[in-house]
Amino acid sequence: MALSKPVRTVWDIPREEQFAPGHSMCQGCGAALVMRHLMKVAGKDAIVAMATGCVEVTTTLFPRTSWKNPWIHLAFENAGAVASGIEAALKALQRKGVVDSNRRIKVIAIAGDGGTFDIGLQSLSGMLERGHDVMYVVYDNEAYMNTGIQRSGATPLGAWTTTTPIGKRMRGEMRPKKDIIGIALAHRIPYIATANPAYPTDMIEKFRRALETRGPSLVHVFSPCTPGWRIKNEHTIEVSRLAVQTGMWVQLEIVNGKPRVTVKVPKRKHVRHYLKIQGRFRHLTEEEIEQIQRMVDQHVEEINRWVGEQAIGPVVE
Amino acid sequence: MAAVELKEKQEAKARQSRRIAAKGNHAAALAARDVDVDVAAIYPITPQVQIAEKIAELVANGELDAEVIHVESEHSAMSAVIAAAATGARVFTATSSQGLELMHEMLYIASGLRQPVVMALATRALSAPINIWNDYSDAMSMRDTGWIIIFSENVQEVYDNLIQAYYIAEHPDVLLPTVVTLDGYILSHTVEPLELIPRDEVLSYAVKRPRGYRPVLDPDKPMTFGPVGAPNWYYEIKIQQIMAMREAPRVIEEAAREFEKRFGRRYGFIEEYMMDDAEVAIVSLGATASLVKAAVNRLREEGVKAGMVKIRVYRPFPAEQIAKALENVAAVGVLDRAVAFGGPLEGPLFLDIASTLAVRGMVKPMASFIHGLGGRDIFVKEVVEMFKKLQELARSGRSETRTLFYGVKSRTKLN
Ligand SMILES: Cc1ncc(C[n+]2csc(CCOP(=O)(O)OP(=O)(O)O)c2C)c(N)n1
Ligand code: SF4
């Protein structure tokens, strides 16, 4: 594995690129940042299994590719199963002496929120439950972007998508986001984390630890989508940082069931700052914004109780 | 002379000792053991479930050194074995009916990505209504998925066909997924004599990772596998898949020839029974062929020149051989155990045979017979009736333009 030392500063980030430029991801795509850094950490001895989605179609238009690693895509709902098959094959081939048994080749499954929270949940669960030595990365842009911004189980309350439009009777997504971390926790896997490209060293360090983990790990990465969220290309990192500063997104690391907040927020900003910068929340009334604020307050309280400290502070304007 | 005789005797004795009694399901699992699969994904469904159990047992007692993936569905089973094959492993899985349908999306992906996945299919009717008994509805739903499809008539064929399947699927000139059928219950649960082949001999026949074959997912030679194929490339890739399917018969034949040379059992694309002088013939598949043979025997006693053609390799379709076998008969019937709903005629195999003959200008009376859906028993006397129908058609010189359904309770009779 490429990285064995912890990543403390940007100077510890490997210079080698395993994810090539020239793909057709949008300017400002959060997922592009995620993939680039993930692959830097993974290095050469990693095999990637990817689900159908935005990243897949924008990086592998035959005969071009952005992937310098062995990379496979079969379908939308089976990244977990595909990774399971690769891992099982490596195990058998190493045992039988076909592949060098001293070499640690890590399998990485990558899927969007749709391919994870919804259609891929079953195969993810199977993979986690069987204990395959696979790192699962979900880049969460909070909708199905590849098919043109439809809601997923990860779409947050109040967000506009093409299937949760704003009309007389419906005002965007009516249900809160599904708790994927809770689902992963229920599988009692050794490593779970949330990450965010606005905090690159934190994100990279989590990738590194997930890769080092023996057994299944899951890293849930915040991944802004410029057209889907109706944000300016240059606002990706701004939005990502605001998500953490408002408590909409909490930077967690859960090792063997023990949780920790890796990016503490002593003074929290009001969710208004996060929502107002995005077109997908433009329709929200003051009242609706307050409703989201109350939901976040409650979530923050739960997190603090869970980690046993006031990792996320109160809203201070 | 004496030495040769002694050697022959010893060989016969050795073969005798390799004879066991086995169900079709166990024969399939034993074949997977003898080809030394590296990864098996298992998920239970009747009537295949004993294959999954036997694989687990063989691994548990150390007879097979494989990674067993206890997948959570057939969709994942197929996904996992495709990926394992791409990593360079020899793979195996088995299913039936609804399990195959759940795999359906992945069946095209296995063939489109040219992965040598080998699967056993214990054939079973499709829901609804739910029915666990034998017919070929599931197998027929694989017709156009780009898989090589081999039907078995008895337990020995299940074993032999699976071993040949690895020879074929992994051949660098083919690289196509291959399925071997065994009729649900009729073969899957029936105990018959089975002659095993010692594993070293199997492995020297179906060589693992033959020359020219290499894994795709290799960190030393990274490759992007399963990318987007836009209109400027998709068609060319499909053409290559079509070419591989056209190339396959050569390798299938080679696999059979080599198999006969080493193990003495001969397999063709089709099997002809009493076809030399046949005037009327029925074409069928799988274990049903045994029944048609029995009907032929009875008719021959009556002096009727009946014959049978069994199709062993269903995809790629052995059109030339079939046309040749049927060249001189006066009327042809096709016995299907599946339905092509709303088709010009409803027997799927019939449609294959009709087009095979039509494009060769072989105009002769034909009939599409359907029987045995969902495990409905077929009796020899009913097949005899079908032959009698064919004699009638031969005399009148006319084809049946609608499918004839046999064995339906009288009140629901069509026609
Ligand atoms: C079985 C199946 N259903 C639907 C689709 C269409 N489809 C492809 S990608 C996609 C959405 C992907 O969403 P997500 O996983 O969130 O990734 P994103 O595109 O947002 O990166 C859908 C619905 C498909 N490929 N396969
Ligand atoms: S649509 Fe969104 S997720 Fe897809 S490439 Fe563009 S920014 Fe990235």
Side-chain angles (χ1 to χ4, degrees):
Chain A
M1 204 159 307
L3 263 193
S4 45
K5 295 202 315 282
V7 177
R8 299 216 168 80
T9 71
V10 289
W11 305 108
D12 297 328
I13 299 173
R15 286 173 180 239
E16 302 84 57
E17 300 285 355
Q18 288 291 104
F19 182 74
H23 49 69
S24 53
M25 294 165 100
C26 307
Q27 281 183 43
C29 175
L33 288 168
V34 173
M35 297 308 142
R36 179 175 168 223
H37 288 106
L38 168 65
M39 295 320 292
K40 275 172 175 283
V41 192
K44 288 193 161 39
D45 277 357
I47 299 177
V48 176
M50 181 167 275
T52 315
C54 228
V55 174
E56 172 256 334
V57 302
T58 53
T59 60
T60 69
L61 185 61
F62 185 82
R64 298 192 181 86
T65 181
S66 280
W67 303 87
K68 296 190 185 176
N69 284 64
W71 181 100
I72 184 170
H73 157 258
L74 298 190
F76 183 23
E77 62 282 48
N78 59 1
V82 173
S84 300
I86 299 166
E87 187 257 7
L90 285 174
K91 233 190 219 163
L93 295 176
Q94 288 191 322
R95 195 168 60 230
K96 294 183 178 189
V98 182
V99 174
D100 178 4
S101 59
N102 295 316
R103 190 164 173 184
R104 182 150 150 78
I105 301 169
K106 191 72 189 192
V107 184
I108 305 174
I110 306 176
D113 47 295
T116 303
F117 288 58
D118 300 341
I119 200 167
L121 188 61
Q122 175 181 307
S123 91
L124 167 65
S125 174
M127 183 204 103
L128 297 181
E129 170 256 327
R130 290 188 297 268
H132 292 278
D133 186 10
V134 174
M135 173 194 190
Y136 192 102
V137 178
V138 43
Y139 65 96
D140 184 0
N141 51 30
E142 304 196 318
Y144 299 150
M145 297 313 179
N146 182 42
T147 35
I149 326 175
Q150 295 81 31
R151 84 165 295 269
S152 79
T155 303
L157 183 70
W160 162 90
T161 69
T162 58
T163 50
T164 53
I166 316 305
K168 274 205 201 107
R169 294 196 184 176
M170 261 184 85
R171 299 187 47 76
E173 175 57 55
M174 311 287 271
R175 294 145 291 208
K177 191 180 175 87
K178 197 189 275 189
D179 177 14
I180 196 73
I181 295 299
I183 291 170
L185 265 173
H187 289 79
R188 298 178 190 283
I189 57 171
Y191 190 88
I192 305 168
T194 60
N196 181 313
Y199 301 85
T201 49
D202 178 82
M203 177 172 80
I204 288 172
E205 182 59 6
K206 283 165 175 170
F207 288 156
R208 193 186 68 81
R209 291 193 200 179
L211 281 161
E212 261 188 1
T213 301
R214 300 270 170 173
S217 57
L218 180 135
V219 185
H220 180 200
V221 194
F222 191 77
S223 186
C225 166
T226 48
W229 295 13
R230 303 279 192 258
I231 54 173
K232 288 188 181 154
N233 297 344
E234 60 272 27
H235 276 172
T236 301
I237 295 300
E238 179 78 19
V239 170
S240 301
R241 196 179 302 117
L242 280 170
V244 173
Q245 289 173 341
T246 55
M248 290 285 308
W249 181 269
V250 180
Q251 295 281 74
L252 284 166
E253 181 175 70
I254 304 143
V255 181
N256 294 317
K258 224 180 127 23
R260 178 171 84 87
V261 172
T262 59
V263 178
K264 294 185 184 165
V265 185
K267 283 191 251 173
R268 187 155 43 106
K269 287 191 173 153
H270 195 280
V271 293
R272 190 186 307 117
H273 301 283
Y274 172 74
L275 300 173
K276 288 279 183 187
I277 195 174
Q278 303 178 57
R280 62 174 173 159
F281 294 115
R282 189 169 38 214
H283 57 282
L284 293 181
T285 60
E286 260 321 297
E287 200 182 313
E288 284 164 336
I289 291 175
E290 284 311 319
Q291 189 194 338
I292 293 172
Q293 181 63 56
R294 283 195 295 278
M295 191 183 77
V296 171
D297 290 344
Q298 196 186 333
H299 186 229
V300 162
E301 206 176 295
E302 282 166 17
I303 295 276
N304 285 337
R305 210 178 313 128
W306 186 34
V307 298
E309 62 168 327
Q310 208 195 36
I312 316 287
V315 176
V316 180
E317 288 285 33
Chain B
M1 195 60 195
V4 173
E5 248 171 45
L6 188 68
K7 191 162 171 266
E8 269 175 10
K9 256 191 180 161
Q10 278 171 342
E11 267 176 14
K13 210 175 152 200
R15 289 172 71 148
Q16 200 63 35
S17 70
R18 283 185 239 128
R19 272 166 78 95
I20 60 168
K23 294 173 184 179
N25 275 340
H26 290 171
L30 292 174
R33 177 196 66 184
D34 293 343
V35 299
D36 187 36
V37 299
D38 303 311
V39 173
I42 58 176
Y43 196 82
I45 181 168
T46 305
Q48 160 279 133
V49 59
Q50 294 168 336
I51 301 180
E53 289 170 344
K54 191 74 182 173
I55 291 283
E57 184 190 313
L58 292 168
V59 170
N61 65 21
E63 278 184 72
L64 169 62
D65 181 11
E67 279 298 312
V68 170
I69 312 180
H70 298 97
V71 278
E72 79 297 334
S73 74
E74 287 88 350
H75 192 285
S76 285
M78 189 46 63
S79 306
V81 293
I82 296 169
T87 316
R90 176 170 273 188
V91 302
F92 178 71
T93 189
T95 195
S96 297
S97 184
Q98 304 309 114
L100 183 76
E101 299 315 308
L102 188 55
M103 284 178 182
H104 207 73
E105 182 197 21
M106 302 314 296
L107 298 177
Y108 287 91
I109 290 171
S111 60
L113 292 180
R114 309 282 300 277
Q115 287 310 299
V117 171
V118 173
M119 174 161 74
L121 177 72
T123 54
R124 166 183 154 181
L126 295 178
S127 291
I130 191 166
N131 173 299
I132 59 168
W133 292 272
N134 181 53
D135 71 27
Y136 303 145
S137 307
D138 52 3
M140 286 300 158
S141 79
M142 284 188 85
R143 265 182 308 167
D144 303 330
T145 57
W147 281 57
I148 291 174
I149 305 175
I150 303 179
F151 274 78
S152 318
E153 189 185 335
N154 54 47
V155 170
Q156 185 68 54
E157 286 192 21
V158 173
Y159 179 81
D160 292 352
N161 281 340
L162 272 168
I163 289 168
Q164 290 177 66
Y166 284 93
Y167 186 110
I168 299 160
E170 292 174 3
H171 196 288
D173 295 346
V174 178
L175 291 176
L176 287 172
T178 302
V179 66
V180 170
T181 73
L182 53 156
D183 288 55
Y185 292 107
I186 296 168
L187 296 183
S188 68
H189 286 63
T190 302
V191 177
E192 285 181 5
L194 169 67
E195 190 178 307
L196 296 172
I197 305 167
R199 190 194 291 202
D200 54 336
E201 288 178 37
V202 171
L203 287 175
S204 81
Y205 166 78
V207 181
K208 282 180 97 173
R209 290 170 277 279
R211 268 171 59 115
Y213 173 70
R214 71 175 183 91
V216 215
L217 300 177
D218 177 357
D220 293 330
K221 295 193 189 97
M223 187 193 283
T224 294
F225 196 58
V228 179
N232 59 342
W233 280 108
Y234 181 87
Y235 199 4
E236 279 62 38
I237 290 163
K238 288 292 131 178
I239 287 290
Q240 288 186 33
Q241 202 181 327
I242 292 163
M243 277 156 50
M245 207 33 123
R246 289 190 175 177
E247 197 58 34
R250 183 178 58 75
V251 177
I252 295 171
E253 204 172 299
E254 179 188 304
R257 208 184 321 118
E258 195 61 24
F259 192 90
E260 186 189 358
K261 209 162 86 190
R262 292 171 187 240
F263 314 122
R265 290 187 288 274
R266 182 194 191 89
Y267 291 99
F269 287 81
I270 62 172
E271 183 187 323
E272 298 177 40
Y273 186 71
M274 301 278 185
M275 286 301 292
D276 285 347
D277 61 343
E279 283 166 1
V280 282
I282 287 183
V283 186
S284 69
L285 293 161
T288 312
S290 295
L291 192 89
V292 180
K293 282 179 191 165
V296 168
N297 289 344
R298 189 174 300 178
L299 285 160
R300 288 275 168 174
E301 275 168 26
E302 291 174 21
V304 178
K305 289 189 173 161
M308 182 225 56
V309 176
K310 171 186 100 177
I311 296 174
R312 172 176 168 258
V313 179
Y314 178 55
R315 283 291 183 273
F317 197 69
E320 282 305 330
Q321 287 97 322
I322 289 167
K324 193 152 176 296
L326 296 174
E327 208 169 13
N328 297 319
V329 295
V332 177
V334 181
L335 175 48
D336 268 292
R337 300 190 72 166
V339 186
F341 293 101
L345 276 91
E346 280 113 334
L349 178 60
F350 176 85
L351 299 176
D352 288 318
I353 302 286
S355 52
T356 296
L357 300 187
V359 295
R360 287 169 179 77
M362 293 169 66
V363 186
K364 53 181 78 199
M366 293 188 71
S368 161
F369 303 120
I370 288 186
H371 195 344
L373 298 183
R376 172 66 44 89
D377 281 330
I378 313 185
F379 299 100
V380 173
K381 68 173 200 302
E382 293 169 315
V383 183
V384 167
E385 262 178 57
M386 294 175 199
F387 273 111
K388 297 259 154 100
K389 184 80 197 172
L390 289 178
Q391 283 185 299
E392 243 175 64
L393 298 180
R395 275 193 295 274
S396 69
R398 299 248 286 273
S399 285
E400 280 291 341
T401 54
R402 299 186 70 182
T403 298
L404 303 174
F405 294 86
Y406 281 71
V408 191
K409 288 174 197 155
S410 58
R411 281 165 58 81
T412 47
K413 208 155 197 151
L414 290 176
N415 314 324

